[in-house]
Amino acid sequence: MLATFTPDLIVPSVCDIPLPELAGRGIRGLLFDLDNTLLAHRGDEFEANVIDWLQHAAGEGFRLYIISNGPPTRTLRLAEKVGLPAVYHSGKPGGRGLRQALAALSLEPKQAAMIGDQIFTDVWAGSRLGLYTILVTPINTDEPWNVRVKRPLERLVLRRIHSGSSTSD
């Protein structure tokens, strides 16, 4: 059961994701959570290094998509700022939004990675569909109560992962 919540890779930020390694695994699509993954929770501006990294990833041939549980107005406005398609109210950890993105990108699950800051939404959703999963450190700690209550459980899962085996091949 722990395997479902175990990310394939853990990195400090999206800017630390090893694109050549992903390409070598046959991954061609990157699905991103929005809040606390690409920008601060409730944030309105992307950091310049994140924008540069997204442009670099696209330039390397990766297809990019934002998968957010957030509302349509904010999600689409922010996605437009970085020129990416997005699905809002995605229903993570359910798979509806991820399947929608995969279909739009014409990719199979094994050809995509789900990238996010939460084990019980982003990693779980990606794992359930067979995507490569990447956990990033949350950008900030200013989070809504429903996220804050899950963080101690996430820390427990991460401790068990780290005491057992490596998270990447």
Side-chain angles (χ1 to χ4, degrees):
M1 176 154 168
L2 189 59
T4 303
F5 302 109
T6 302
D8 295 300
L9 180 65
I10 299 173
V11 295
S13 82
V14 294
C15 299
D16 297 303
I17 294 171
L19 295 175
E21 179 183 320
L22 296 183
R25 292 177 171 276
I27 294 171
R28 298 182 1 218
L30 305 177
L31 312 182
F32 296 93
D33 172 55
L34 186 59
D35 284 313
N36 257 350
T37 299
L38 291 177
L39 76 166
H41 189 79
R42 296 187 195 97
D44 211 33
E45 296 297 326
F46 295 88
E47 296 290 328
N49 64 331
V50 171
I51 293 171
D52 291 345
W53 188 90
L54 291 170
Q55 291 171 344
H56 174 71
E60 292 293 314
F62 288 94
R63 301 175 201 167
L64 313 179
Y65 215 98
I66 293 175
I67 311 291
S68 177
N69 282 344
T73 304
R74 180 172 181 272
T75 301
L76 296 175
R77 178 176 47 79
L78 290 169
E80 186 177 324
K81 283 185 175 189
V82 289
L84 297 181
V87 60
Y88 52 85
H89 291 312
S90 69
K92 292 179 295 180
R96 179 187 50 79
L98 279 71
R99 283 191 295 273
Q100 182 179 334
L102 291 170
L105 298 175
S106 300
L107 295 174
E108 295 295 319
K110 67 182 179 182
Q111 297 174 301
M114 178 64 213
I115 302 155
D117 68 297
Q118 293 185 57
I119 289 175
F120 298 118
T121 54
D122 307 313
V123 172
W124 191 16
S127 293
R128 291 172 63 191
L129 290 181
L131 279 71
Y132 188 82
T133 57
I134 302 173
L135 182 68
V136 300
T137 302
I139 292 173
N140 70 18
T141 58
D142 178 24
E143 300 175 306
W145 70 269
N146 63 318
V147 175
R148 283 194 315 267
V149 298
K150 293 184 280 185
R151 293 299 187 191
L153 293 171
E154 288 185 344
R155 285 190 292 275
L156 177 63
V157 169
L158 289 172
R159 276 196 301 274
R160 289 195 176 208
I161 291 168
H162 289 306
S163 68
S165 65
S166 172
T167 59
S168 63
D169 296 348

